[in-house]
Amino acid sequence: MKKSRVIQLLGLILIGVLIGLGYTHRVRTDAGESITAVGSTALQPLVEAAGEQYSSTRTGIFINVQGGGSGTGLSQIQSDAVAIGNSDIFAEEQPGIDARKLKDHQVAVVGIAPIVNQSVGVTNLTQQQLIQIFTGKVKNWREVGGKNIPVTLINRAQGSGTRKTFETYALKGQKSADSQEQDSSGLARSIVASTPGAISYVAFSYFDKSVQVVNVDGVQPTEANVRTNRWQIWSYEHLYTSNHPNQLTKKFINYILSTAVQKKLVKQLGYISVHDMQVQRSAAGKISSVK
Amino acid sequence: MNAKRVDKIATGILYGVAGLVVIILVALLGFILVEGVPHISWHFLTSPALAFEAGGGIGIQLFNSFYLLFLALLISLPISLGAGIYLNEYAPQNTLTGLIRTTIEILSSLPSVVVGLFGYLFFVVQFKLGFSILSGAFALTVFNLPILTRSIEEALANISDDQREAGYALGLSRWETVTKIVVPAALPSIITGVVLSAGRIFGEAAALIYTAGQSAPALDFSDWNPFDISSPLSPLRPAETLAVHIWKINSEGIMPDAKAVSAGASAVLIIAVLLFNFLARWLGKRLYKHLTAE
Amino acid sequence: MDKIRESLLKKSIATKIERRGKIISLFCLALIVGIVFLIFYFVASRGLATFFQNHINLWQFLSGTQWNPGTNGTNGQPAVGALPMILGSFLITILSALIATPFAIGTAVFMTEISPRRGAKILRPVTELLVGIPSVVYGFIGLQVVVPFVRHTFGGSGYGILSGTFVLFVMILPTVTSMSADALNAVPRYYREASLALGATRWQTIYKVVLRAAIPGMLTAIVFGMARAFGEALAVQMVIGNATLLPQNLVSPASTLTSILTMGIGNTVMGSLQNNALWSLAMILLLMSLVFNLVIRYIGRKGKLNHER
């Protein structure tokens, strides 16, 4: 009985000493040396990869990147809970967000294109046809020169950045008809690949052989066409900070905007570098050329 | 005569139904294993995941799953043990106790999405724990408490009152009787319950997406100081678990071998749950023998 | 004299330990109950905001068929009609329970009455194993196997209530089976012996005696399975199509409360109408699991009365 008490006591002391040692010998990180970025799942891979590269060369710095969606990112940065809010859309476009309190950093561009199932037999659509399909006026692929297969719309979730961009620039601001919805690009692609007559839209980085990419008005969805705005369905990827971000946040955003990251990582991950853009677009959708 | 024939027919139908169910279940398991096992290798089990290249593994996710499970059990086991003891040994049989039992059952049938969102609002935002293992462990605790409490209560209820009376006859107080006699006697079934609930926690994804987070930053496996943020033991780092990883690569994965990774990870998950089950049985049996033989 | 008296009247160490133990265990219990109330408070505070802050009519919310919280519906009010989701959730839950019940009870009878040894050796471990499979994996298989199967056999795009039902059927089967088996096992042995002694065949015994006696337990199992089906999110979301339309038939795309909730929550800003509306959906889920539990308890109490009679 007594022996076991002693052992218990010793064990407790040992644990206490270990915890104390751990605490005093921890890697010292000054306040603000760890930042958190939360938001868009489409932007998450880039920030995550950049964060890993950034902290691998600088000891004691930790960049914590989380998904959760653009809405989460914007509301977290608005309530000052994180250092960076990742978003697919302009803060001005998100209801419930006061864009004046936030600072926008555009770090990449994403092109979005319609994809259809291989069986459809369509490789080009006019914008008018695209609108008719997504608003439910065209119900069979025969009507737009394809095979006799009914159209199955696969939309993205309400409020998602990809859907907003697509509705604004591909459908000229028209709302698409109520239809199936999926909240992620990967699922949308695999559903289009396996469902006859299906149409959806994904970012360029999700193109693969399982689906047919569609040209709009004869323009191919390529990086070169996005740069000149010939392909109009694209959006910025934003890192939002408060108006006065701390030093590390500033440095990290500059790092993402540096040529090293923009030339390599951004391309590897299938985004388009902001440095390559020959045009720029405002939150209201106004296009102007970059010198 | 007629009754006998009916008996035969009914027996035949029951065989058929049971056989069909077994076929469905085995086909399901077989499908997962056949799809996934070929992708499992030592490299796959130990290397970190890659975001956009082929050949990534699930090492960190696997470690996170186990660590999260360990923390969740560490928090939920004492609480549910205490609650189970009170419910079975002390609680009077009245309306209030009935009400409390209902509350616990409500918790057990709570959709895991709701638990996840609650965890997000409460632990991540309110308590400012951020997306971290600790938030995830708390969310899993909420998820696990009712199941564990119920299985512990049942285990205690199955101990016959003779044992308690023997304790009282020896002059032990109620608490001493419970801790020294009843709980040890119920230990085998308690452990079985714990390990089975561990299987459920292990596969949980919806409750973790918004609490433990969806990213698995690289870990420094030479640093075991829990206060360092890159240490595997740090409870404040974000931790994507295996089940969340499967969900993520199916929805947003852009690596070329996403299908293979997800199939392999699913198979690993199943095998882990399988091991838990065997472990539960084996431990239960051994402990039972050990405790009854002495 | 006084010292002895004092030591006799003083609370013994055992009493103190007893007191402490009781308080600790009571505290644990209180903690759990507290968590439940906390969850209710959090969900309700957000979910009720739709009605009190954004002034949405409760009836419109429950009976409206348009779901697009960002825009205004035909009546000028924000389009937050949750009826398609509520209907979808109910249909999918009831249908999957309807299909799962005969299978589960048949298997449970087989496990307990016909071949207990095989039941314990094969069926039980397999069903317990299936409880641990993550729902993502179920959804994944549903996408690869169930959806094409439904499309080829029943037409449509394959996404819809029917696919969701099949996936949920397999998901709740293990739960309902093992709980039904527990209920059957709890029927006292002498019931069976008495029936067999009267010359009843095995089937007569099962059908007329054992099943009847186990009805409350099996109902609990079914309701429990339904509660699981109602709250399931990730697997259903992958195969149901997530269209906020009133289900026309079983193969047209539909949606459930959970699928819309998980899809939308990341894309909305806390405190906005869109976000509050989603929390209202969560509140409906919560209230429904409350109802399911009350049903379970009601059945349980009735069952007890029957036994005592």
Side-chain angles (χ1 to χ4, degrees):
Chain A
M1 199 60 180
K2 262 212 164 142
K3 214 174 176 185
S4 71
R5 273 286 154 84
V6 171
I7 291 173
Q8 274 177 18
L9 199 68
L10 278 179
L12 276 180
I13 291 174
L14 192 71
I15 291 172
V17 166
L18 275 178
I19 290 179
L21 268 180
Y23 187 74
T24 48
H25 284 262
R26 73 191 188 277
V27 176
R28 292 298 169 111
T29 53
D30 300 328
E33 289 289 275
S34 148
I35 53 175
T36 307
V38 172
S40 155
T41 43
L43 185 50
Q44 190 186 350
L46 174 63
V47 185
E48 213 169 4
E52 262 169 43
Q53 281 190 7
Y54 188 73
S55 50
S56 68
T57 52
R58 296 162 182 80
T59 42
I61 286 177
F62 189 73
I63 316 270
N64 177 1
V65 185
Q66 290 300 325
S70 301
T72 310
L74 286 172
S75 63
Q76 292 273 62
I77 183 71
Q78 176 159 276
S79 61
D80 231 3
V82 293
I84 301 175
N86 307 340
S87 172
D88 300 338
I89 52 174
F90 280 99
E92 286 86 348
E93 295 177 272
Q94 180 78 37
I97 292 291
D98 186 358
R100 281 166 304 174
K101 287 185 188 148
L102 302 178
K103 198 167 171 198
D104 185 9
H105 308 267
Q106 295 158 358
V107 294
V109 169
V110 166
I112 294 160
I115 51 168
V116 294
N117 184 267
Q118 299 280 13
S119 67
V120 163
V122 166
T123 55
N124 183 48
L125 289 167
T126 64
Q127 190 169 28
Q128 198 52 40
Q129 285 171 331
L130 200 61
I131 294 173
Q132 282 172 339
I133 289 170
F134 271 91
T135 50
K137 292 196 183 81
V138 166
K139 290 195 182 334
N140 194 303
W141 286 106
R142 207 171 31 186
E143 298 167 51
V144 290
K147 294 192 186 129
N148 181 16
I149 303 170
V151 173
T152 303
L153 286 184
I154 316 280
N155 239 319
R156 300 297 297 279
Q158 276 175 16
S160 92
T162 314
R163 177 162 173 178
K164 249 174 211 161
T165 307
F166 191 77
E167 283 181 345
T168 313
Y169 297 105
L171 307 184
K172 289 184 177 162
Q174 299 215 33
K175 289 266 172 270
S176 53
D178 280 339
S179 68
Q180 291 199 38
E181 286 176 14
Q182 287 303 333
D183 65 342
S184 66
S185 312
L187 267 183
R189 180 183 63 192
S190 63
I191 286 174
V192 168
S194 64
T195 312
I199 180 167
S200 186
Y201 41 90
V202 292
F204 289 3
S205 50
Y206 288 92
F207 288 174
D208 69 3
K209 286 192 205 100
S210 65
V211 292
Q212 171 70 47
V213 179
V214 179
N215 299 346
V216 176
D217 288 333
V219 179
Q220 277 191 334
T222 60
E223 211 183 303
N225 283 336
V226 169
R227 285 183 205 158
T228 55
N229 198 37
R230 266 184 53 132
W231 181 266
Q232 293 176 3
I233 317 166
W234 56 270
S235 68
Y236 289 111
E237 293 294 338
H238 311 260
L239 297 185
Y240 275 99
T241 60
S242 63
N243 276 327
H244 305 285
N246 66 27
Q247 279 303 314
L248 180 59
T249 311
K250 267 189 212 158
K251 275 191 211 154
F252 179 61
I253 288 176
N254 284 337
Y255 176 74
I256 293 188
L257 286 169
S258 69
T259 16
V261 172
Q262 292 283 333
K263 279 255 143 43
K264 267 193 81 184
L265 205 56
V266 167
K267 290 218 166 102
Q268 278 176 336
L269 287 163
Y271 304 89
I272 300 163
S273 164
V274 274
H275 294 179
D276 294 341
M277 293 300 288
Q278 290 161 20
V279 294
Q280 63 183 13
R281 190 153 69 192
S282 70
K286 256 188 81 177
I287 298 283
S288 54
S289 63
V290 182
K291 270 118 229 165
Chain B
M1 268 311 123
N2 208 5
K4 268 203 173 149
R5 185 175 290 162
V6 171
D7 181 59
K8 278 220 172 102
I9 294 171
T11 309
I13 292 175
L14 284 175
Y15 262 91
V17 168
L20 198 64
V21 168
V22 171
I23 289 173
I24 293 177
L25 302 186
V26 169
L28 190 67
L29 287 178
F31 185 83
I32 299 168
L33 291 178
V34 168
E35 290 261 296
V37 168
H39 301 294
I40 301 176
S41 62
W42 183 244
H43 172 79
F44 183 70
L45 289 178
T46 52
S47 58
L50 296 175
F52 51 92
E53 298 159 64
I58 52 167
I60 293 175
Q61 280 82 5
L62 199 59
F63 177 81
N64 284 345
S65 286
F66 280 110
Y67 188 43
L68 197 54
L69 176 67
F70 170 74
L71 277 187
L73 284 180
L74 197 68
I75 304 170
S76 56
L77 188 58
I79 300 178
S80 40
L81 191 63
I85 288 175
Y86 190 86
L87 272 179
N88 194 55
E89 308 290 333
Y90 289 105
Q93 289 297 330
N94 57 20
T95 347
L96 185 68
T97 313
L99 208 68
I100 289 172
R101 283 222 170 83
T102 319
T103 345
I104 292 177
E105 269 169 26
I106 289 171
L107 194 57
S108 81
S109 64
L110 220 55
S112 52
V113 196
V114 175
V115 174
L117 292 177
F118 165 75
Y120 170 68
L121 275 187
F122 196 63
F123 302 120
V124 177
V125 178
Q126 202 88 356
F127 276 151
K128 298 200 192 308
L129 288 176
F131 291 99
S132 65
I133 290 199
L134 212 54
S135 306
F138 282 133
L140 285 183
T141 300
V142 171
F143 184 74
N144 195 29
L145 274 179
I147 308 169
L148 214 51
T149 306
R150 190 161 46 180
S151 75
I152 288 175
E153 197 196 334
E154 260 167 34
L156 294 179
N158 280 336
I159 302 302
S160 86
D161 278 340
D162 300 350
Q163 304 235 32
R164 292 188 185 89
E165 279 154 17
Y168 301 149
L170 287 172
L172 295 179
S173 73
R174 219 189 225 184
W175 180 252
E176 284 168 323
T177 315
V178 171
T179 48
K180 302 252 159 73
I181 298 176
V182 180
V183 171
L187 206 57
S189 37
I190 290 179
I191 286 188
T192 315
V194 169
V195 181
L196 286 180
S197 80
R200 265 197 79 183
I201 300 184
F202 206 70
E204 179 56 36
L208 289 177
I209 292 170
Y210 288 108
T211 50
Q214 318 162 27
S215 71
L219 300 178
D220 179 3
F221 276 98
S222 61
D223 180 358
W224 291 93
N225 187 342
F227 292 97
D228 292 346
I229 195 104
S230 59
S231 152
L233 289 183
S234 164
L236 286 175
R237 65 188 172 86
E240 180 192 41
T241 64
L242 207 50
V244 175
H245 190 59
I246 297 173
W247 172 80
K248 198 175 105 182
I249 48 186
N250 273 314
S251 47
E252 300 283 351
I254 49 172
M255 57 278 245
D257 59 346
K259 275 214 167 121
V261 174
S262 127
S266 310
V268 171
L269 246 172
I270 303 276
I271 293 171
V273 177
L274 192 72
L275 288 180
F276 282 147
N277 275 279
F278 282 132
L279 190 74
R281 262 157 233 290
W282 181 78
L283 262 181
K285 242 181 230 162
R286 262 208 74 145
L287 269 173
Y288 186 73
K289 260 189 202 153
H290 186 75
L291 288 170
T292 45
E294 277 187 359
Chain C
M1 203 50 186
D2 259 4
K3 257 193 182 161
I4 296 171
R5 196 182 136 85
E6 208 171 83
S7 72
L8 277 177
L9 284 178
K10 206 175 63 180
K11 277 177 188 155
S12 71
I13 296 174
T15 319
K16 270 187 200 156
I17 292 177
E18 165 77 18
R19 167 80 59 84
R20 202 170 59 195
K22 194 172 174 181
I23 289 175
I24 289 174
S25 60
L26 182 63
F27 173 75
C28 293
L29 189 64
L31 194 70
I32 298 180
V33 176
I35 289 173
V36 178
F37 281 104
L38 210 61
I39 291 180
F40 267 79
Y41 168 74
F42 259 81
V43 175
S45 69
R46 303 257 165 193
L48 288 176
T50 317
F51 308 111
F52 292 117
Q53 269 175 28
N54 306 105
H55 303 291
I56 305 288
N57 185 316
L58 175 66
W59 178 242
Q60 266 176 24
F61 181 78
L62 291 178
S63 67
T65 54
Q66 274 183 315
W67 179 264
N68 200 344
T71 57
N72 286 348
T74 39
N75 56 1
Q77 287 257 3
V80 282
L83 188 63
M85 281 88 94
I86 298 175
L87 262 184
S89 277
F90 271 104
L91 272 175
I92 207 168
T93 306
I94 291 168
L95 284 177
S96 56
L98 270 183
I99 305 180
T101 304
F103 282 97
I105 292 183
T107 315
V109 170
F110 182 83
M111 268 160 79
T112 53
E113 311 294 324
I114 298 197
S115 182
R117 201 145 19 101
R118 253 177 276 184
K121 270 250 157 76
I122 306 171
L123 274 162
R124 223 163 227 251
V126 173
T127 47
E128 271 169 9
L129 187 59
L130 283 166
V131 177
I133 299 183
S135 50
V136 197
V137 175
Y138 278 106
F140 192 41
I141 294 174
L143 212 54
Q144 286 182 312
V145 182
V146 178
V147 170
F149 169 76
V150 169
R151 180 163 56 230
H152 288 305
T153 347
F154 301 98
S157 65
Y159 298 91
I161 295 206
L162 199 61
S163 301
T165 303
F166 282 140
V167 169
L168 279 183
F169 154 64
V170 182
M171 282 189 79
I172 64 173
L173 192 59
T175 317
V176 183
T177 306
S178 65
M179 283 182 71
S180 302
D182 287 342
L184 291 172
N185 271 331
V187 175
R189 215 182 134 76
Y190 56 80
Y191 277 37
R192 298 183 183 90
E193 282 158 0
S195 168
L196 291 172
L198 284 172
T201 61
R202 182 161 66 180
W203 171 245
Q204 283 170 331
T205 308
I206 293 171
Y207 184 66
K208 300 222 159 115
V209 179
V210 182
L211 279 181
R212 306 260 151 124
I215 277 181
M218 286 188 309
L219 279 179
T220 312
I222 295 165
V223 178
F224 200 84
M226 283 170 77
R228 264 205 87 179
F230 201 77
E232 176 46 45
L234 297 181
V236 177
Q237 187 196 334
M238 283 174 160
V239 299
I240 196 165
N242 307 317
T244 51
L245 300 164
L246 278 184
Q248 303 292 321
N249 50 47
L250 293 184
V251 290
S252 72
S255 55
T256 63
L257 293 165
T258 47
S259 73
I260 297 300
L261 181 61
T262 31
M263 273 201 337
I265 203 84
N267 293 319
T268 56
V269 172
M270 215 163 276
S272 65
L273 166 65
Q274 284 92 325
N275 192 269
N276 288 342
L278 290 174
W279 281 103
S280 303
L281 296 185
M283 199 174 68
I284 296 184
L285 273 175
L286 208 58
L287 291 178
M288 279 317 299
S289 65
L290 187 70
V291 169
F292 278 122
N293 271 288
L294 292 180
V295 171
I296 294 176
R297 285 203 76 77
Y298 178 73
I299 293 169
R301 205 173 303 155
K302 268 212 135 168
K304 227 180 226 164
L305 286 179
N306 275 340
H307 262 292
E308 277 160 12
R309 232 186 291 159

